Amino acid sequence: MKKEDYKFSFEVYDAIDELAEADAVLLRQAREVTQFAHAPYSHFRVGAVAALENGQIVTGTNQENASFPIGLCAERVMLASSSSLFPGIPIKTIAISYNNEKGDSSHPISPCGLCRQSLLEYEAKFKEPIRIILGGLQGKVYIIEKADMLLPLSFTANELNV
Ligand code: THU
């Protein structure tokens, strides 16, 4: 038996004003689009914004449903939109923010497991890293250099021989 290690590191900033301007703009947009979430059940509004290689910006917000399991996370709404509107264009950077109307919104949240798997699909498709900026409405900001760092030992298309 031997042990394998997985090293995960990410950048931590005390606040948005420490970010490079382009990253700060993207995070501000993610904060703004939280208002477009359809979240009448959780009151937890999530905004995801992608900056594409061609300079386009694509947004997504969580879309809940009275039939709860149907609900979609902001990240996957954004990824589906990006892939539908600009199918051949890689995503360079995404920013994710949220507004927890019933609680605190001052720390970063990171994508759920489903969204991590979905992010990986597009990162693998374009063979280019997707940077991820995470931040609440205020407070610390995390930057992760590559989406696959969030999902070690992941299941990928390689297993399918396609
Ligand atoms: N949600 C997202 O949109 N993204 C995440 O990464 C985590 C959770 C949404 C799903 C649901 O509408 C609400 O937040 C509460 O879980």
Side-chain angles (χ1 to χ4, degrees):
M1 191 278 271
K2 62 173 182 154
K3 283 204 171 168
E4 299 280 349
D5 286 323
Y6 175 72
K7 187 172 181 314
F8 174 65
S9 50
F10 58 104
E11 297 167 5
V12 180
Y13 298 83
D14 280 334
I16 193 171
D17 54 21
E18 288 184 7
L19 300 184
E21 186 52 22
D23 290 343
V25 166
L26 212 59
L27 180 54
R28 261 183 238 116
Q29 285 176 298
R31 289 172 173 174
E32 278 166 27
V33 298
T34 60
Q35 67 185 296
F36 303 124
H38 176 66
Y41 308 106
S42 72
H43 301 281
F44 192 88
R45 300 173 169 278
V46 184
V49 178
L52 309 193
E53 202 171 70
N54 65 359
Q56 294 283 344
I57 298 291
V58 177
T59 68
T61 55
N62 54 326
Q63 301 296 317
E64 298 180 353
N65 193 284
S67 175
F68 291 174
I70 291 176
L72 293 166
C73 291
E75 294 89 331
R76 277 174 296 134
V77 170
M78 173 274 289
L79 289 168
S81 295
S82 177
S83 187
S84 303
L85 294 167
F86 304 102
I89 312 295
I91 297 170
K92 302 294 288 178
T93 304
I94 68 174
I96 301 164
S97 190
Y98 69 103
N99 179 3
N100 180 359
E101 293 176 330
K102 303 228 158 166
D104 175 66
S105 307
S106 63
H107 60 276
I109 58 159
S110 57
C112 78
L114 289 178
C115 291
R116 292 175 194 213
Q117 182 74 27
S118 196
L119 280 161
L120 208 62
E121 182 78 15
Y122 295 102
E123 191 169 73
K125 176 176 177 184
F126 294 112
K127 298 185 175 59
E128 284 186 33
I130 298 178
R131 291 175 69 242
I132 304 177
I133 303 166
L134 305 174
L137 295 180
Q138 63 272 318
K140 285 195 188 332
V141 179
Y142 298 164
I143 298 187
I144 298 154
E145 284 303 327
K146 200 169 181 307
D148 77 356
M149 295 179 83
L150 286 175
L151 201 60
L153 290 179
S154 55
F155 182 81
T156 68
N158 295 337
E159 324 299 342
L160 302 175
N161 298 319
V162 290

